[in-house]
Amino acid sequence: MPAFDLIIANGTIATASESYAADIGIRDGRIVAIGEALNGADEVVDATNKLVLPGGIDSHVHISQPSGPGIVMADDFESATRAAAFGGNSTVMPYCLQQKGQSLRAALSDYHALAQGECHIDHSFHLIVSDPTESVLGQELPALFADGYTSFKVFMTYEGLALDDYEMLSVLEVAREAGALVQIHAENYDAIRFLTEKLERAGRVAPHFHGRSRPIPVEREATHRAISLAELIDVPIMIVHVSNREAMEAIRRAQARGLKVMGETCPQYLMLTEADMERTGTEGAKYVCSPPPRDVASQQACWEGLQQGVFSVFSSDHCPFRYEDEAGKLAPKGRSSFRWIPNGIPGIETRLPILFSEGVVKGRISLQQFVALTATNHARIYGLTGKGSIAIGYDADLAIWDPNLTRPIRQGELHHGADYTPFEGIEITGWPTSLIVRGSFVVRDGKLTGSKMQGRYLPRAKPLASLSR
Ligand code: DUC
Ligand code: ZN
Ligand code: ZN
């Protein structure tokens, strides 16, 4: 019997700490050898002139999430995980939304049913806590933590989702006791409501007024408040989808003071601006997401946050809606005011190529930072044991990249369920060409070879309180 099921030979391996030329020997879905001139395998795949990276981990995606009456997300688990695989990802972490009045267990059982047998790659859930009742705080969250649901998200805005400060403190306290990590959507609910009503009264309802209804101070204030509340409880937090300098600097200051505050940014805050929401007619709706895309100076601030380690993760915040669709961006109510345009954009397949091309190829970040920001840190922070790196004993989750392949992002070549990409036409150098999950090809030389039965659900270990930087 050969020593290995599969050898990936002659590639350049890159991890969060170094790059080197070596072969990878895989048996029973795990990496069992890394060395020169390995031999003895059922199959040898030649990766000459290719990079071999850990499969990407996208720890912030929304799939099949209820999004309001008549609105339907563009991706289910099958299409989202297929698109993720073509984008070089081997694990995604979607949200499981608790609806008001619903138990967390009931919400989870709905999401597991949607995902079961429909995932091309591995997945694990964060909970969204929208109704922190006594039983949620006292019983469900601690029990679910013990079952491997070790992170949850809370919102400071949105009707039906926003927690007030008392509720936030209660959730943070439970997280502290359990050792869970809380992700925070930091925008000031009342300020958005106030500004939205004012804009609507003035007849300013076109898509780009979405940005005016939640300007930078709205995000800065909530970020500062979230950090202060977490400091009161002494609990780690992750501020998700940071869009601008003021929020980034608030996180940096908290870190300098020794607080366990982590940050995340996303492709839309590097590549889009508010001008995109000003496109003619209703087209601006394609770019409506929250927080909204800002300006070029904010893009620069987000790059600095990535370069300087203020942000430890780079996620897609994939939240896809179709454009030409009454159940999506052009819902009848959405045409009447920006307030009703479903918030979110697709990005699960383009996250890694964008950061590779704009970051590594253009010299803004190193290849090691790229791997850390897109895979390794996600695994460490969220407790995905045996994922996110290339090392003996780790799952053989590998993305093979052609670092010289240059072609633009085109909707027609993507695999998600949305009918557009907000990143249309961006020229990319460096694309993943093959993706292996636990030793089996899901995508091979640009073709889907895996099945939707291949992805597994991953319970998680205790999250990390902070990355030592
Ligand atoms: N927050 C998210 O995290 N994703 C999409 C929309 C939102 O407000
Ligand atoms: Zn959010
Ligand atoms: Zn999100």
Side-chain angles (χ1 to χ4, degrees), residues 274-287:
E274 60 198 343
D276 288 300
M277 290 186 293
E278 286 163 13
R279 294 189 192 207
T280 44
T282 51
E283 218 193 319
K286 289 181 177 175
Y287 306 89

Side-chain angles (χ1 to χ4, degrees), residues 389-422:
S389 191
I390 296 177
I392 307 278
Y394 272 55
D395 283 357
D397 293 348
L398 304 169
I400 302 177
W401 283 67
D402 182 342
N404 301 311
L405 179 60
T406 298
R407 63 177 162 82
I409 294 174
R410 294 280 178 227
Q411 163 64 14
E413 288 167 25
L414 298 179
H415 301 82
H416 59 199
D419 56 352
Y420 77 100
T421 166

